């Protein structure tokens, strides 16, 4: 139970509430959701099982797991890659987590009563580009993450996930119901359920696959690390399936919490990463003109939901790096946490400032934040997921993997998932 909650906690995060709605918005709504669900269960879930078996069989963190299961080979560099990618992700992820703290504080102080959508957009651009504000909220978020990590796996991650996950479901259902009762919200519901085939393209496939990896936390060593704490009698398939079902369910619920509210306010859904920060404070405050208290409470609960979901995910990213330093470099939990904190702060602060003082710094045409997001979620994750499925499908002993996942999923891990990833990845590069 604790494992499923922690895994679902890692999976359910900003990817579901912040990323999923704007990617759905940019890629045509319902059809994207269908492709995303198909990929999640047919391609990504078997990879999740494969990554999980590696952790369960080795009882080690990423680098040591590879070193133990394939000694003396280059596979350990995959282990190292999957320490670096969660490190990059947690650094920029904490910037968005920080924005949710900023908005949570503002909603308590009554500062989110935006009179128009323009003023909501202006507020977001002002707060994300003001150096002290964005650095303060980012630092607070990273500190919260590090605090849970220092408490350890049982007292920190498990306890927090067990409390947070049921609360998250309750909150998102409440917000979805509230959103769908706003005048004009049915346009948003239609957008989510009516497929628009004209928007279907090859990029729909690659974005849907990428989103399902992102959402299930695949290819960055999280599933492997969490599974290393599993007992022999625990079922990889049962717990992995539960986590995947919770994750997709939450993404859909988040869609129904956000899109109706976006449409109710007459905002275009394809507004990109700023979508929820620019639109929801306005929607919730202006739609509750007669009942400002209700609007303020819903806004508060919404940003509380984002913060909680972001925290259960950021601890999983942090824990991958943490367990590497503890196992490989024999550090104490406290020392490892402190080292990661300093390093992630330096990288994350550059990402945070790339919305303000460092906005002119470009890396291959991207801002620092955009670059960290791009290389980690488009390239490193895909590479990691591909490598884990090849490792579980081809390098590990067949009997070890098959006894955990059964012959159907073994076939999927060995053949279907890697081939689909390679085909989509290559065609995306060529087109
Ligand atoms: N799965 C989480 C989310 O969707 O927000 C956290 C996450 C894990 C994000 C791994 C990105 C990632 F590469």
């Amino acid at each position: 139970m604790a494992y499923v909650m922690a895994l679902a906690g890692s999976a359910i995060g900003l990817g579901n509430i912040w990323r999923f709605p704007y990617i759905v918005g940019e890629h045509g709504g319902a059809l994207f959701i269908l492709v995303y669900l198909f990929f999640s269960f047919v391609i990504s879930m078997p990879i999740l099982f494969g990554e999980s078996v590696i952790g369960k069989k080795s009882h080690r963190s990423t680098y040591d797991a590879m070193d133990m299961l394939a000694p003396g080979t280059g596979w350990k560099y995959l282990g190292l890659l999957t320490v670096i990618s969660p490190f990059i992700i947690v650094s920029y992820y904490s910037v968005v987590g920080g924005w949710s703290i900023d908005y949570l504080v503002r909603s308590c102080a009554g500062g989110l009563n935006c009179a128009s959508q323009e003023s909501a957009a202006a507020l977001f651009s002002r707060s994300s580009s003001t150096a002290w504000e964005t650095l303060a909220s980012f630092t607070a978020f990273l500190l919260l993450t590090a605090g849970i990590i220092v408490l350890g796996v049982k007292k920190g991650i498990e306890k927090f996930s067990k409390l947070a996950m049921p609360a998250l479901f309750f909150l998102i259902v409440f917000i979805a119901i509230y959103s769908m009762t706003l005048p004009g919200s049915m346009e948003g519901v239609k957008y989510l359920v009516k497929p628009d085939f004209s928007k279907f393209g090859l990029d729909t496939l690659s974005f849907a696959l990428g989103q399902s990896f992102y959402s299930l936390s695949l290819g960055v060593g999280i599933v492997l690390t969490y599974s290393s704490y599993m007992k022999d009698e625990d079922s990889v398939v049962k717990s992995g399936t539960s986590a995947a079902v919770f994750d997709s369910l939450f993404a859909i619920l988040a869609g129904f919490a956000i899109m109706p509210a976006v449409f109710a306010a007459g905002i275009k859904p394809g507004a990109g990463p700023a979508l929820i920060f620019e639109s929801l404070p306005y929607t919730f405050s202006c739609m509750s003109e007669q009942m400002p208290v209700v609007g303020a409470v819903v806004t508060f609960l919404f940003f509380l939901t984002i913060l909680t979901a972001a925290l259960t995910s950021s601890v999983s990213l942090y824990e991958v790096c943490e367990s590497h330093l503890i196992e490989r470099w024999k550090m104490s939990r406290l020392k490892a946490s402190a080292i990661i904190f300093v390093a992630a702060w330096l990288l994350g602060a550059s990402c945070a400032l790339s919305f303000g003082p460092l906005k002119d710094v470009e890396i291959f045409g991207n801002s620092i934040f955009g670059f960290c997001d791009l290389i980690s979620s488009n390239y490193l994750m895909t590479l990691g997921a591909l490598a884990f499925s090849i490792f579980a499908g081809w390098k590990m002993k067949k009997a070890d993997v098959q006894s955990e996942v059964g012959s159907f999923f073994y076939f999927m891990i060995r053949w279907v998932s890697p081939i689909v990833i390679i085909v989509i990845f290559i065609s995306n590069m060529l087109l």
Side-chain angles (χ1 to χ4, degrees):
M1 184 64 170
Y3 168 79
V4 173
M5 286 297 143
L7 199 58
S10 166
I12 295 169
L14 292 172
N16 306 59
I17 315 180
W18 162 69
R19 204 170 191 266
F20 182 71
Y22 83 75
I23 293 200
V24 169
E26 284 170 348
H27 295 276
L31 198 56
F32 178 88
I33 299 181
L34 287 179
V35 179
Y36 159 77
L37 286 176
F38 177 78
F39 278 157
S40 292
F41 289 99
V42 176
I43 308 298
S44 304
M45 210 171 67
I47 301 177
L48 187 145
F49 297 159
E51 192 178 328
S52 187
V53 171
I54 305 173
K56 189 182 169 189
K57 288 284 170 211
S58 62
H59 293 297
R60 300 272 190 288
S61 62
T62 53
Y63 182 93
D64 287 62
M66 295 293 150
D67 207 20
M68 175 187 165
L69 298 172
T73 65
W75 280 102
K76 57 178 174 289
Y77 298 110
L78 165 67
L80 208 55
L81 173 86
T82 52
V83 173
I84 295 167
S85 38
F87 168 73
I88 299 175
I89 297 172
V90 79
S91 306
Y92 87 83
Y93 200 84
S94 301
V95 175
V96 185
W99 293 341
S100 68
I101 296 189
D102 193 355
Y103 271 57
L104 195 64
V105 174
R106 279 176 183 277
S107 70
C108 290
L112 285 179
N113 260 336
C114 307
S116 65
Q117 207 266 312
E118 286 71 31
S119 65
L123 173 70
F124 178 69
S125 99
R126 200 169 351 108
S127 49
S128 59
S129 63
T130 308
W132 74 263
E133 188 171 340
T134 188
L135 280 182
S137 52
F138 153 72
T139 308
F141 183 86
L142 198 60
L143 268 176
L144 277 176
T145 307
I148 299 173
I149 289 289
V150 170
L151 288 175
V153 174
K154 282 233 167 307
K155 283 197 200 135
I157 301 177
E158 283 188 7
K159 232 183 182 164
F160 182 60
S161 310
K162 271 203 236 163
L163 277 177
M165 297 321 290
L168 274 179
F169 271 92
F170 175 75
L171 284 168
I172 204 77
V173 168
F174 170 75
I175 296 167
I177 294 172
Y178 177 79
S179 287
M180 286 192 282
T181 57
L182 296 172
S185 59
M186 278 307 126
E187 280 307 305
V189 175
K190 262 194 222 149
Y191 185 81
L192 289 171
V193 296
K194 226 170 124 197
D196 177 358
F197 288 91
S198 68
K199 295 251 172 64
F200 191 83
L202 192 67
D203 65 333
T204 317
L205 297 183
S206 79
F207 272 96
L209 187 67
Q211 178 61 23
S212 83
F213 285 177
Y214 195 97
S215 200
L216 285 173
S217 306
L218 292 187
V220 289
I222 293 175
V223 179
L224 192 162
T225 306
Y226 275 14
S227 304
S228 70
Y229 303 111
M230 275 177 119
K231 297 196 197 75
D232 287 345
E233 63 272 21
D234 295 337
S235 158
V236 162
V237 172
K238 267 195 207 146
S239 21
T241 308
S242 313
V245 169
F246 285 143
D247 182 52
S248 305
L249 189 65
F250 196 89
I252 306 285
L253 285 170
F256 280 97
I258 290 158
M259 279 307 168
V262 167
F263 275 80
I267 298 164
K268 291 249 169 346
L275 179 71
I276 56 170
F277 292 96
E278 285 185 346
S279 60
L280 295 196
Y282 165 65
T283 316
F284 291 146
S285 62
C286 83
M287 294 289 159
S288 312
E289 254 167 25
Q290 287 83 23
M291 292 184 289
V293 179
V294 177
V297 171
V298 176
T299 314
F300 173 81
L301 291 178
F302 179 70
F303 288 105
L304 182 67
T305 311
I306 302 187
L307 173 62
T308 314
L311 270 175
T312 53
S313 299
S314 62
V315 292
S316 68
L317 291 157
Y318 209 116
E319 180 62 23
V320 179
C321 311
E322 179 87 10
S323 55
H324 175 69
L325 293 188
I326 293 175
E327 256 179 37
R328 191 79 206 167
W329 302 98
K330 309 279 174 262
M331 285 182 194
S332 69
R333 195 157 257 281
L334 193 64
K335 186 173 174 193
S337 310
I339 290 177
I340 299 165
F341 181 86
V342 173
W345 193 88
L346 291 173
L347 180 59
S350 324
C351 293
L353 294 177
S354 70
F355 290 88
L358 298 182
K359 73 171 175 305
D360 295 326
V361 179
E362 279 197 0
I363 311 175
F364 300 115
N366 296 282
S367 67
I368 305 175
F369 179 96
F371 182 72
C372 287
D373 184 17
L374 183 79
I375 52 157
S376 52
S377 42
N378 283 27
Y379 298 104
L380 299 180
M381 277 191 95
T382 314
L383 197 65
L386 176 65
F388 280 139
S389 62
I390 293 177
F391 189 84
W394 296 87
K395 185 75 195 162
M396 285 178 76
K397 280 198 207 103
K398 183 177 176 183
D400 280 352
V401 182
Q402 218 173 31
S403 62
E404 292 287 344
V405 302
S407 45
F408 173 71
F409 284 117
Y410 182 68
F411 173 79
M412 298 300 281
I413 294 170
R414 191 170 156 91
W415 293 103
V416 181
S417 299
I419 291 175
V420 172
I421 298 175
I422 292 170
V423 168
I424 292 186
F425 194 69
I426 292 180
S427 45
N428 211 33
M429 299 271 249
L430 296 178
L431 291 173

